[in-house]
Amino acid sequence: MRYRYFQICFFLLFFSSIVFAAPLTEEQVQSKVREISKTLRCAVCQSESVWESNAELASQMRAIVRERVIAGESGDEIRAYFISRYGDFIVLKPRVKGINQVIWFGPFLLLGVAGFLIYRKICVWVKQATPVTPSEIVPIDDAGQKRIAEALASYNTGEK
Amino acid sequence: MNRSSIKTWQVFLPLAILCLIVVFYHGLYGNPSYIPPVIVNTPAPDFIAPELYEEKGQRAPREMRLSDYKGKVVVLNFWASWCTECALEHPSLLEINQRYAQDPRFVMLGVNYQDKENPAKEYLAKHGNNFKHVRDFSGKISIDYGIYGVPETFVIDKQGMIRHKSIGPIIGQNYTHVVEDIIEPLLKGEALKG
């Protein structure tokens, strides 16, 4: 029984490795090349991706991406190759690493610092303001009440 | 939070904002076409490529391998016949190669970038030639060296490490810098300044 179990496991592993090692179809290669090339910057046109650019260098870069996809390299491995040649500039989305972290986290940090300072300022204002207790509230006298009634009446009739 | 820590914040915040302004200013007003080279101080990628000219008695150009020149200081220049700045620096390259022609520790090689055979040969016939050139058909050599325009020149030390990358023509001050601060010390086996 145990031997049979190992046999099944062996066959499963063997066939799954065949499935994983199966060469990519042309459609899969194209799709991976497109996906990776869209994340790479054309080194000569700069504002376009390698996928969109018609420059000769971009076309040569696409050919290299294709060659490496067929060789079984992952998107990250291919991007790492281009970064090792051109630097972070070559990827359209900057990596969250080194000085690039300023771009990713700088605005949130500034927002946090600004929010903290505003909060502190508000706390100081609240502390400085003298609270009024109900006993300190002076009731409106007759003259005041009359003025309010007049104002309301003129408002209701639309007079000034 | 006590009063002294508030003062620390008051100093830290303007400093942080100033730093950010400097970073953004550098990013916005720097030269957008300048890309800091990351390939300097890394091993020079080896390549095998056909020479531009066939040698006498040969029917086809022979293939050249960069690693054949290990142990020498190699000046590797990427150029094209359609590149006006390449023509501008070409006399400097001829002069450098002439200067070290008798030195067995030195070699200059040209890599013809995104070009056709005949215009490349016509260019060399017009501007002169005293060093070997290879053709980069697929662009693989150029991409391996992180090229994004020509002319670009690399100086590789005797151990096969890239020690300098020059973007743009080697003329004027750049010529003096490349010869005196890069090639000379590398030939003598001295460390580069900076």
Side-chain angles (χ1 to χ4, degrees), chain B residues 40-41 163-164 177 181-182 191-194:
Chain B
V40 175
N41 293 328
R163 291 301 179 200
H164 178 75
H177 171 64
D181 301 336
I182 312 292
L192 298 181
K193 286 172 200 164

Side-chain angles (χ1 to χ4, degrees), chain B residues 69 72-76 97 100 103-109:
Chain B
Y69 299 99
K72 292 174 188 273
V73 171
V74 181
V75 172
L76 191 65
N97 198 45
Y100 299 106
D103 195 328
R105 301 166 301 172
F106 178 87
V107 69
M108 182 178 278
L109 302 171

Side-chain angles (χ1 to χ4, degrees), chain A residues 39-43 61 79 82-83 86-92:
Chain A
T39 63
L40 296 171
R41 188 193 303 275
C42 168
M61 286 167 86
R79 272 184 288 273
F82 282 102
I83 290 169
Y86 289 93
D88 275 335
F89 154 85
I90 206 71
V91 281
L92 284 166

Side-chain angles (χ1 to χ4, degrees), chain B residues 123-191:
Chain B
Y123 169 94
L124 291 176
K126 184 183 171 187
H127 297 286
N129 181 30
N130 62 6
F131 56 98
K132 285 183 176 178
H133 302 268
V134 292
R135 298 193 64 203
D136 183 17
F137 287 117
S138 62
K140 201 170 178 316
I141 305 172
S142 311
I143 292 169
D144 260 352
Y145 279 82
I147 300 290
Y148 62 93
V150 279
E152 284 189 22
T153 306
F154 296 82
V155 184
I156 301 162
D157 72 10
K158 293 173 192 172
Q159 287 74 40
M161 297 287 281
I162 296 173
R163 291 301 179 200
H164 178 75
K165 177 180 180 178
S166 184
I167 299 166
I170 298 179
I171 48 173
Q173 281 187 337
N174 195 22
Y175 173 87
T176 315
H177 171 64
V178 169
V179 172
E180 289 177 11
D181 301 336
I182 312 292
I183 299 173
E184 283 286 344
L186 287 180
L187 281 172
K188 288 176 192 162
E190 292 170 2

Side-chain angles (χ1 to χ4, degrees), chain B residues 18-182:
Chain B
L18 189 72
C19 287
L20 272 178
I21 289 169
V22 170
V23 169
F24 291 145
Y25 179 86
H26 180 74
L28 284 172
Y29 294 98
N31 180 2
S33 62
Y34 174 74
I35 303 156
V38 290
I39 204 162
V40 175
N41 293 328
T42 65
D46 195 16
F47 60 78
I48 181 161
E51 285 187 24
L52 182 61
Y53 291 100
E54 57 270 22
E55 282 178 12
K56 277 178 188 171
Q58 284 186 326
R59 295 177 83 184
R62 79 179 184 103
E63 296 220 301
M64 183 203 284
R65 194 186 282 271
L66 178 71
S67 51
D68 291 344
Y69 299 99
K70 204 159 184 182
K72 292 174 188 273
V73 171
V74 181
V75 172
L76 191 65
N77 174 256
F78 288 77
W79 65 276
S81 64
W82 44 261
C83 156
T84 48
E85 286 198 318
C86 299
L88 200 67
E89 78 164 356
H90 199 76
S92 304
L93 298 175
L94 297 176
E95 206 175 301
I96 294 171
N97 198 45
Q98 183 64 39
R99 181 173 173 159
Y100 299 106
Q102 304 305 317
D103 195 328
R105 301 166 301 172
F106 178 87
V107 69
M108 182 178 278
L109 302 171
V111 180
N112 187 221
Y113 169 86
Q114 293 182 0
D115 212 345
K116 290 194 169 64
E117 188 180 344
N118 285 339
K121 284 181 173 173
E122 281 165 20
Y123 169 94
L124 291 176
K126 184 183 171 187
H127 297 286
N129 181 30
N130 62 6
F131 56 98
K132 285 183 176 178
H133 302 268
V134 292
R135 298 193 64 203
D136 183 17
F137 287 117
S138 62
K140 201 170 178 316
I141 305 172
S142 311
I143 292 169
D144 260 352
Y145 279 82
I147 300 290
Y148 62 93
V150 279
E152 284 189 22
T153 306
F154 296 82
V155 184
I156 301 162
D157 72 10
K158 293 173 192 172
Q159 287 74 40
M161 297 287 281
I162 296 173
R163 291 301 179 200
H164 178 75
K165 177 180 180 178
S166 184
I167 299 166
I170 298 179
I171 48 173
Q173 281 187 337
N174 195 22
Y175 173 87
T176 315
H177 171 64
V178 169
V179 172
E180 289 177 11
D181 301 336
I182 312 292

